[in-house]
Amino acid sequence: MIVKLNGKTIKTPHSWEVERYKISKAERVASGDMVMDTIARKRKFLVGYTELSGRDLDAILDIIYTDDEFINLEYEENGKMKSAVVYCGPIRAKKYRTNMGWYWVDVSFNLIER
């Protein structure tokens, strides 16, 4: 799977989930029935890694952990490249020591469509 943030390819995630939802405006009319208008269809991407080297994590953070509010996401889905403008939610990571040095484990973050 190919994932690019602001045009830079990042390490392929171990888990990739997509939540699709509609943003709608709903209200009750005089009869008591509910009417609803769909305003937009949005996606949320849940990205996870079982482990990352410090170098791989820094490469991702250099792109998403900046003063820019939105970033461009390109990803492969069902054999086609798709894109979205997203912002990043909280970034979680645990530091873990092995006999080969320090690694980051259970790294996760959400990319939420603008």
Side-chain angles (χ1 to χ4, degrees), residues 5 11 13 16 29-32 34 51 60-61 63 65-67 69 77 83 100-101 103 110:
L5 298 174
K11 184 173 179 172
W16 177 268
V29 293
S31 67
M34 180 173 282
E51 72 175 33
I60 293 169
L61 292 176
I63 300 167
Y65 198 61
T66 67
D67 291 336
E69 296 302 323
E77 182 177 276
S83 63
M100 296 176 60
Y103 285 86
N110 298 331

Side-chain angles (χ1 to χ4, degrees), residues 11 20 26 38 55 62 77 106 109:
K11 184 173 179 172
R20 291 174 175 83
T38 298
R55 181 178 172 182
D62 286 347
E77 182 177 276
D106 300 332
F109 56 91

Side-chain angles (χ1 to χ4, degrees), residues 49-108:
Y49 295 91
T50 54
E51 72 175 33
L52 280 177
S53 68
R55 181 178 172 182
D56 288 332
L57 180 59
D58 284 346
I60 293 169
L61 292 176
D62 286 347
I63 300 167
I64 62 177
Y65 198 61
T66 67
D67 291 336
D68 294 332
E69 296 302 323
F70 300 104
I71 56 176
N72 294 310
L73 167 67
E74 296 174 72
Y75 63 99
E76 184 180 359
E77 182 177 276
N78 302 328
K80 297 177 186 174
M81 290 303 290
K82 296 192 175 187
S83 63
V85 176
V86 298
Y87 63 94
C88 186
I91 304 164
R92 298 186 60 175
K94 293 187 231 174
K95 202 162 188 181
Y96 182 77
R97 185 178 173 116
T98 69
N99 60 350
M100 296 176 60
W102 289 94
Y103 285 86
W104 292 95
V105 297
D106 300 332
V107 179
S108 64

